[in-house]
Amino acid sequence: MKQYIFNIHDVVLLMTAAECLLLAVFQAILPTRSRHDGRLLIAFLLIIAVASACTLALWNDQFSLAPWLEQTLLPYLLFSALLLKGPAIYLYVCSLTRQNFTFTRGMALHLLPALLVILCLAIFNISSNDLRHAAAGQGFSATVISLVWDLASLAPFAYAVAALRQLRRYRHALKDEYSHYSEVELNWLTALVWGVCVAWAWTTVVHVVAKFSSQSVADYMGIADNYLSFILINAFFAYSLTYAHQLLATQPEETSQERVPEEDEPSEPAIEKVRNAMESDKIYLKKNLNLEQFSDRIALPAKEVSAVINKHFGTNFFEYVNSYRVEAAKSLLADPGKADMTVLDVLLESGFNSKSAFHRFFSRLVGMSPTEFRKQALADAKVS
């Protein structure tokens, strides 16, 4: 009777490893290879390739490798990959969402979990067989193996959560610095990172279930984990080709040494400058207005303008500018002399440059669509 080396689930791992290698090579020849996000994506792909190949080699009994590779080197490669995939995805997100992102010495701290596990493997001379039969083992060595697996399962999930927090900070930064931005690229990246978070949370669940349930249940859950990884790898590569380069830059975050104490309340002259720029100069009519352009126009530092908008007016730059634009649109829509203007003409003349953003923002602030508002306002004007 024929014996198959790989079953269909093993093939998924094999395809994931092979595809990651091919995508890493392809990413390396793209123009974005010189950017940090391109390099980090290549690193992430290679790490996933190693993790998939090592997982396949560890749990497949139908083929064997050289003894030194299978028993000695394999555990080091496997756990290094499992504990480096988290930092790789976190730093990839940081490189996309931080202006002038650079590698620093402090980032070496992300290597500590992997180095700690490698040290444990070396001290206790843990082999592949020890990893396979850890559940049946006893003693201090089995406890160490259990803790190593725990760390390899939990650490990537923690990094995925950190990546989500970074995206949240980036979204807030966009609203503080831009009056208009496309949410498509950011929403896609957020969805992908949520996918990673869910997938790695599932990995943690599989690990916990394996401790307290039957092996067959854990195996089926682990197989689903492999399929999720395969799907996510394709999604990340597609994102890097289509949307990654379109994300807007934000001001770099201040370090604790750079932060200076801020006044409790902005000065009255600064408040008046910001108010006059909006009410007299109607600077909000400028399309794609950002905080830097606004601050240059009124000769105030960007930090001071941001402080006025945040602390005095209690909002962010995005909301502040667009609220004026909505008021301008309401005036145009309610004017009988402008009844021949289309809604598109109105939104463009009000400073908006996106139909979807205008409708979404107008409906949220006014409580009805622009068309409904115009109909009601013109009807009221006729009655009066």
Side-chain angles (χ1 to χ4, degrees):
M1 187 174 181
K2 273 189 178 180
Q3 271 198 325
Y4 294 96
I5 297 178
F6 301 114
N7 60 36
I8 185 63
H9 310 304
D10 292 337
V11 170
V12 172
L13 280 173
L14 191 63
M15 287 176 61
T16 301
E19 186 173 10
C20 283
L21 290 174
L22 289 172
L23 293 179
V25 171
F26 187 63
Q27 179 70 30
I29 63 176
L30 291 175
T32 55
R33 67 186 184 280
S34 59
R35 292 173 23 165
H36 289 310
D37 59 282
R39 296 191 188 104
L40 285 164
L41 181 59
I42 291 171
F44 178 65
L45 290 168
L46 292 176
I47 288 168
I48 297 298
V50 172
S52 299
C54 289
T55 301
L56 177 61
L58 180 67
W59 299 110
N60 189 299
D61 298 324
Q62 301 303 317
F63 71 98
S64 59
L65 304 171
W68 65 272
L69 175 59
E70 183 175 0
Q71 293 301 319
T72 306
L73 187 59
L74 184 62
Y76 292 98
L77 291 174
L78 174 61
F79 283 104
S80 295
L82 292 177
L83 288 164
L84 288 176
K85 67 180 183 179
I89 202 64
Y90 172 70
L91 293 175
Y92 173 68
V93 170
C94 288
S95 69
L96 289 174
T97 56
R98 291 182 186 172
Q99 188 177 22
N100 301 324
F101 174 86
T102 55
F103 294 107
T104 63
R105 290 182 180 179
M107 291 179 183
L109 292 173
H110 296 298
L111 301 176
L112 283 180
L115 293 175
L116 178 63
V117 166
I118 287 173
L119 186 62
C120 288
L121 294 176
I123 291 174
F124 295 98
N125 194 28
I126 295 171
S127 67
S128 294
N129 283 336
D130 296 327
L131 295 177
R132 292 190 190 100
H133 307 299
Q138 293 181 345
F140 191 68
S141 181
T143 302
V144 171
I145 293 173
S146 179
L147 290 174
V148 164
W149 276 118
D150 290 343
L151 182 60
S153 301
L154 289 171
F157 174 66
Y159 273 102
V161 172
L164 284 174
R165 289 174 61 84
Q166 172 60 27
L167 284 174
R168 185 182 178 187
R169 288 195 295 269
Y170 176 65
R171 192 181 291 272
H172 287 310
L174 286 177
K175 290 190 174 184
D176 281 334
E177 296 179 35
Y178 292 90
S179 65
H180 169 78
Y181 64 92
S182 172
E183 294 192 359
V184 174
E185 300 84 4
L186 181 54
N187 287 342
W188 269 108
L189 181 58
T190 303
L192 284 175
V193 177
W194 265 111
V196 169
C197 198
V198 170
W200 291 351
W202 180 258
T203 301
T204 304
V205 171
V206 171
H207 177 68
V208 173
V209 168
K211 289 186 173 186
F212 303 103
S213 182
S214 66
Q215 189 63 41
S216 60
V217 172
D219 286 344
Y220 281 116
M221 293 178 70
I223 288 166
D225 190 16
N226 296 337
Y227 281 88
L228 278 174
S229 297
F230 181 72
I231 294 168
L232 284 170
I233 286 301
N234 286 277
F236 264 103
F237 186 74
Y239 180 83
S240 73
L241 290 179
T242 53
Y243 292 126
H245 61 286
Q246 298 178 30
L247 290 171
L248 293 171
T250 58
Q251 294 300 314
E253 295 179 2
E254 296 176 336
T255 62
S256 56
Q257 290 83 5
E258 292 172 334
R259 290 195 184 103
V260 294
E262 295 182 356
E263 297 178 1
D264 290 338
E265 284 296 328
S267 64
E268 281 300 324
I271 294 170
E272 282 305 309
K273 277 191 173 185
V274 171
R275 184 183 285 115
N276 288 336
M278 299 297 284
E279 296 178 0
S280 301
D281 299 340
K282 300 187 186 299
I283 193 174
Y284 58 84
L285 295 178
K286 176 178 171 60
K287 294 176 177 60
N288 295 321
L289 179 69
N290 61 35
L291 183 65
E292 187 177 354
Q293 294 167 344
F294 189 101
S295 61
D296 287 344
R297 178 75 174 267
I298 63 174
L300 277 179
K303 288 181 182 178
E304 193 168 358
V305 174
S306 182
V308 169
I309 294 172
N310 285 291
K311 293 186 175 181
H312 182 76
F313 293 105
T315 185
N316 55 52
F317 186 73
F318 179 80
E319 300 278 341
Y320 184 63
V321 172
N322 285 309
S323 64
Y324 276 88
R325 289 174 173 171
V326 166
E327 290 301 317
K330 285 170 63 179
S331 297
L332 292 172
L333 291 168
D335 186 353
K338 306 283 188 180
D340 59 335
M341 288 182 68
T342 65
V343 172
L344 180 61
D345 292 333
V346 169
L347 73 91
L348 292 174
E349 195 164 323
S350 304
F352 287 97
N353 64 354
S354 166
K355 190 174 181 180
S356 60
F358 170 66
H359 280 270
R360 184 173 62 251
F361 212 90
F362 191 98
S363 298
R364 181 162 67 82
L365 290 185
V366 181
M368 63 182 76
S369 71
T371 304
E372 291 170 337
F373 175 83
R374 168 179 265 177
K375 186 184 296 184
Q376 182 176 307
L378 294 180
D380 291 344
K382 285 181 180 179
V383 171
S384 61

